[in-house]
Amino acid sequence: MTFTFNQEHIFIDGSWQMCNSGELIDLINPSTGNLLAKIAKGDAADIDLAVTAARNALNGEWGELSAVERGRIMMKMSEIILKHSEELAIMEANDVGKPLSQARVDANAMARYFEFYAGACDKIHGTSIPFQNGFTVFTLREPHGVTGHIIPWNYPMQILGRSVGAALAMGNATVLKPAEEACLTALALGEIAQKAGLPKGALNIVPGYGSEAGAALSAHKGINHISFTGSKPVGTLVQQAGATHVAPVTLELGGKSPQIIFDDANLNEALPFLANAGVQNAGQTCSAASRILVQKGIYDQVVSGMAEHYNKLKVGQAKDDCNLGPLISLRQKEIVDGYLNLANQDGLELVAQGFYNDDLPQGGAYVLPTLFGNVSPDHKLAQEEIFGPVQVIIAFEDEADAIKIANDTEFGLVAGVWTENGGRQLRMAKKLHAGQVFINNYGAGGGVELPFGGVKSSGHGREKGFEALYGFSTTKTIAIKHG
Ligand code: NAD
């Protein structure tokens, strides 16, 4: 099979149709700057149709399915994704600009999310509660109802997999609003759902601008839960919109995640992770390790090891599968260039940069991966999320100093710690402000099973793993008085 869905359509109630306005948005290939496709410019009227279709699905065939039947359909979706993973990877690579091998990882991860949540559908149980004599009390886990999913452009397949996958597993009916910069694989999910026999209305997909389709989705009174992944400013707006109709909101926002290297660390193990976790997906990763904290005694050794790595980082078109592709857009490049200019103005120590592949197209949004050393922890480059392939190295004295520097940003998403000292591993894990702490690794290879989310300005609520299923459902307590 090759995908045959109409890229210019929206997916509502199990079928493809033109959006209300009939207007289209240009989707640009970030590797070349050329037009890749045109997508629908969904608006409030389309969102309204999608929410109605989802509500009808809950009251119809989708709502009638048992948990095991839901799981079987989701397993079919996973199988179809796996079978077509190469096609999906090429679609994502062209759309997002990510190197093909990284897009392949993402396609497999999307399949894995549907597989994991397919298996979990019938494994979330309520409890029975010992209560007063004459009563029997138990709880049911129930879907929220219609869930809204607003996702960004950096990892469309992975993020919709974890968000829509968990919501469907709990029996919700979903409305997905992908990002206007990259949304082809999100649309492909509609065709995958059709092929797998997902009842109509359980999944609806409306591309469009955030300020139109996104804002309409988060403010829609028919939405019972919103899962938002994106920037802090927009997350704040979505939470405010949800609050007007008291909808629970999960916020998966940005980060400024540290990797902390102590002088007893196994540097052979650590060094490849230090740079890669910062430049993967051209640094456009919420959990990018954008700060490298190094204990003073090994500072020079770590800096030269990282520089050696950086000098080999090649930037090229997604199809050429170099270490890095372009950024998502020229607008994003302008933001990252702004930080690089600031670093230059402030005299930050440039440690190393990667290099460009030959014959890069003029219109691509390319930036070299760049490493700065001896950066003060309070400098803008050490505090703000750059969302580009830029890392800063900060020196620290001891454990207390490392914790202070690591926790001293507004974010708290992920942290990595490299040390052979067991006591220190546990002390650090407990004291770091982060939703995930990795000891002697970073990211655990993606970890579909591992709960993920932030503290502080990185957001609240958890996706991924079993824990997401509690977020996408609610508890009903039933107390029966029988004497
Ligand atoms: P963004 O906030 O600009 O956009 C994200 C989504 O929100 C898009 O679909 C967009 O159309 C929509 N949107 C925009 N304005 C809206 C509005 N007013 N109402 C409702 N929806 C609206 O973010 P971005 O630039 O696309 O993505 C980058 C950000 O996402 C970074 O901060 C990154 O750290 C974060 N992110 C977080 C995670 C995580 O899991 N924590 C994962 C990936 C990305």
Side-chain angles (χ1 to χ4, degrees), residues 150-155 159 162 177-181 208-216 218 228-235 237-238 251-255 284-287 331-332 385 387 413 452-454 458 463:
I150 301 175
I151 63 165
W153 43 262
N154 58 346
Y155 290 85
I159 294 171
R162 75 185 191 198
K177 207 301 279 174
E180 53 271 40
E181 296 89 345
Y209 289 119
S211 54
E212 291 176 5
S218 36
F228 173 82
T229 306
S231 62
K232 179 189 167 190
V234 177
L237 291 177
V238 169
L251 293 182
E252 297 278 2
L253 308 178
Q284 303 164 117
T285 304
C286 53
S287 54
R331 186 177 138 253
Q332 188 68 18
E385 186 183 44
F387 232 51
L413 195 55
F452 179 79
S458 292
E463 292 196 341

Side-chain angles (χ1 to χ4, degrees), residues 69 142 251 480:
E69 288 167 328
E142 296 191 332
L251 293 182
I480 305 167

Side-chain angles (χ1 to χ4, degrees), residues 124-170:
I124 285 275
H125 303 148
T127 51
S128 70
I129 300 170
F131 192 58
Q132 297 167 12
N133 284 343
F135 277 87
T136 295
V137 181
F138 60 96
T139 63
L140 299 177
R141 298 261 6 142
E142 296 191 332
H144 289 293
V146 179
T147 53
H149 305 260
I150 301 175
I151 63 165
W153 43 262
N154 58 346
Y155 290 85
M157 286 195 282
Q158 292 220 33
I159 294 171
L160 73 83
R162 75 185 191 198
S163 171
V164 171
L168 289 174
M170 293 313 294

Side-chain angles (χ1 to χ4, degrees), residues 29 45 58 70 184 204 244 272 302 369 373 403 435:
N29 178 341
L58 288 170
R70 285 201 305 274
L184 295 181
N204 305 276
T244 59
V302 170
I403 289 165

